[in-house]
Amino acid sequence: MSTMKMYKEAVLDHYRNPRNYGELPNPDVFVREDNPLCGDEVALSMSFDVDRQLDAVRFTGRGCALAMATASMLTVKVQGKPMQELRTIDEAQLLEMLGIEVLPMRLKCVRLSLDVLRRALAMYETGAGKPAAVAAHAARAVRREHSLFDHIGNTPLLRLNAAAWGLPPGVQLYAKHEAMNPGGTIKARSVLGMIRNGIKANQAPLLPGMTIMDVMSGSSGIALAMIGAQMGFGVKLICPATITEDAKRVLRAYGAQLHVLLDPKITAAAAAGIARESYRKDPGRMYYLDMFHNPAAWNAHYATTGAEIVAQCGEPITHFVAGIGTGATITGVARRLKEHDKAIQVFGVVPGSATEHIDGLRHPSAGEASFQDGTIEVSAKESEDRARQLAKQEGILVGTSSGAALAASLRLAHKLQRGTIVTVFPDDGQRYLGDPHWVNDF
């Protein structure tokens, strides 16, 4: 039986068996640990008899397929074993007990379960037991801050001053500084949401050993390569002919496999067709993320970016301005803001013409603008000028899509007498420093 099939069978067993839900009533010891792969948890509750032999156990996993499979099988394997034998289990024995071939990049899933077992036994030995569960929970909350994924989101909302000089006195301009995300891009939010959604899917889930494939759009590929590396998934990206050498170097540093298109006239839709065809040829090993049409992308911005803007802005928001790339940011945030206040107006930012290129921005197709009150066209030259202005006047180094967002926001602001405009600066500008408008400026 192949490794992938063994994983699938183990996961199916996990879902079918009711022992993998809930916790033991009144256990002698209970431990819960974060699963660093996907933000969920592995939990262990145990009860012992008078001879200190394991009487009942509930080993549960929520998250990646292998973590769930490991927990499911361990519930059976450790049942009834004496304390002395449980204490001596090491990684090699654990793998032998599981009876499946674990890929090297997935060993951290198995090690997490082993760590939970050792910690539970140590707690029982010291007599900590149930009272320590509260302290363990507090300690876990502190440890979570060290996870890469715990630092995605909660980016600052900055009030622009020098770059917004000359606006009407009653108009304020704020920007969500998404370069503060790991990887320096807002795409970390949507990519993490899509991957977690894929891992938890009941049908065609994202399983260990699979390679995630998609079309690179703006900085989305960098976010996917970064998160894929952290989770242990391979990443294959269909890249446009216009991709910069700096971007290629970053992607390869994260271990991504690149398929660079040679024809610059190939559209994003055509590139997506190439990705779908590759997926159809090998659905057992490939997982197509489909950023342009995956609802988990905009849901991530609804739940995080939009909610953060509402919580952070100390004044009533009147307008929201954001560039249109995959459409996930503006769709998710617009839904959340309009739920908060239907009067908030939403404007998408697009290139001034079909021939102009602004990295990460495009004209939406029919039906994509349902949550927008209008679009604002910005030229590439204006985007570049505003990006340089942000660096020199505000100390904010961002890409040209952020420059476009600022240009559109200022144009809108000058039409108002009063109002609070919030925009988004999607990514960091360091990987764009090789572009001509930066080189010529030095």
Side-chain angles (χ1 to χ4, degrees):
M1 184 184 295
S2 69
T3 301
M4 187 58 63
K5 190 171 183 180
M6 285 189 286
Y7 285 171
K8 289 181 179 178
E9 288 298 318
V11 172
L12 286 173
D13 176 70
H14 177 91
Y15 279 121
R16 292 182 188 126
N17 201 313
R19 69 169 178 262
N20 295 305
Y21 301 94
E23 299 162 0
L24 284 178
N26 299 314
D28 291 314
V29 65
F30 173 77
V31 176
R32 178 182 286 132
E33 289 281 356
D34 287 327
N35 182 343
L37 293 178
C38 43
D40 289 332
E41 299 168 333
V42 168
L44 172 62
S45 48
M46 299 189 296
S47 296
F48 295 85
D49 61 20
V50 292
D51 297 320
R52 292 167 61 86
Q53 185 164 310
L54 190 59
D55 180 52
V57 60
R58 189 68 61 83
F59 219 143
T60 67
R62 294 187 302 142
C64 76
L66 185 53
M68 293 188 292
T70 302
S72 175
M73 290 183 285
L74 281 177
T75 299
V76 177
K77 297 294 185 180
V78 303
Q79 180 74 46
K81 288 187 178 294
M83 170 69 74
Q84 186 63 32
E85 187 174 341
L86 290 173
R87 205 164 37 224
T88 60
I89 294 174
D90 59 18
E91 185 176 308
Q93 291 174 304
L94 183 58
L95 291 172
E96 186 178 351
M97 289 168 59
L98 296 177
I100 61 174
E101 179 186 352
V102 178
L103 299 174
M105 64 182 177
R106 307 306 294 174
L107 280 174
K108 61 178 103 174
C109 298
V110 175
R111 289 170 185 151
L112 178 69
S113 298
L114 184 59
D115 289 344
V116 170
L117 177 61
R118 286 172 174 167
R119 188 159 159 252
L121 293 173
M123 288 172 60
Y124 182 71
E125 287 279 13
T126 59
K130 288 180 285 186
V134 175
H137 178 77
R140 179 173 62 90
V142 174
R143 282 195 303 277
R144 283 203 56 171
E145 295 179 0
H146 298 294
S147 166
L148 177 74
F149 303 142
D150 290 316
H151 294 280
I152 293 177
N154 292 313
T155 54
L157 184 69
L158 306 178
R159 180 172 175 175
L160 300 182
N161 297 304
W165 185 85
L167 293 185
V171 179
Q172 312 296 332
L173 178 55
Y174 292 85
K176 198 85 162 94
H177 192 18
E178 291 298 300
M180 302 302 288
N181 283 304
T185 171
I186 193 173
K187 299 295 185 181
R189 296 177 184 262
S190 54
V191 169
L192 181 60
M194 287 184 283
I195 290 179
R196 282 179 169 170
N197 189 64
I199 289 170
K200 298 174 184 177
N202 291 324
Q203 293 186 343
L206 172 58
L207 294 174
M210 282 186 168
T211 294
I212 305 173
M213 169 181 283
D214 213 328
V215 176
M216 180 167 177
S217 171
S219 55
S220 60
I222 290 175
L224 178 53
M226 175 193 69
I227 293 173
Q230 172 71 10
M231 287 190 169
F233 291 108
V235 171
K236 182 177 181 180
L237 293 165
I238 310 297
C239 303
T242 54
I243 185 172
T244 66
E245 290 301 320
D246 285 340
K248 289 180 189 177
R249 282 191 284 269
V250 172
L251 292 169
R252 286 173 178 146
Y254 284 126
Q257 178 185 352
L258 308 184
H259 177 94
V260 181
L261 301 172
L262 298 178
D263 187 354
K265 296 180 181 178
I266 295 179
T267 64
I274 295 172
R276 282 192 294 270
E277 182 61 29
S278 298
Y279 165 73
R280 280 194 291 267
K281 288 179 179 177
D282 198 357
R285 289 196 320 112
M286 294 289 181
Y287 183 87
Y288 181 37
L289 204 61
D290 196 8
M291 296 185 197
F292 281 91
H293 302 101
N294 193 328
W298 66 257
N299 264 311
H301 291 291
Y302 172 89
T304 65
T305 320
E308 289 169 26
I309 289 172
V310 171
Q312 290 173 320
C313 192
E315 303 173 41
I317 302 165
T318 59
H319 299 79
F320 176 68
V321 177
I324 300 177
T326 63
T329 300
I330 196 166
T331 299
V333 175
R335 285 175 183 252
R336 181 64 183 83
L337 292 184
K338 285 183 178 289
E339 282 185 11
H340 174 70
D341 184 351
K342 292 181 180 179
I344 295 175
Q345 292 190 304
V346 176
F347 291 89
V349 184
V350 298
S353 68
T355 59
E356 286 196 279
H357 174 75
I358 301 175
D359 196 63
L361 299 188
R362 65 182 177 90
H363 281 271
S365 57
E368 285 189 68
S370 57
F371 285 88
Q372 297 168 38
D373 297 285
T375 57
I376 301 174
E377 295 186 347
V378 177
S379 70
K381 175 67 166 58
E382 191 176 4
S383 302
E384 295 164 0
D385 291 343
R386 292 301 186 184
R388 288 197 298 266
Q389 180 186 9
L390 283 169
K392 293 179 177 180
Q393 295 184 0
E394 297 279 1
I396 302 173
L397 183 59
V398 287
T400 50
S401 61
S402 300
L406 174 61
S409 298
L410 291 175
R411 195 177 304 167
L412 175 64
H414 282 292
K415 297 178 181 179
L416 306 176
Q417 293 300 315
R418 300 193 65 82
T420 298
I421 302 171
V422 175
T423 190
V424 174
F425 293 163
D427 61 357
D428 181 78
Q430 293 193 44
R431 70 184 179 92
Y432 300 106
L433 292 179
D435 291 354
H437 67 278
W438 282 113
V439 173
N440 297 336
D441 191 53
F442 295 147

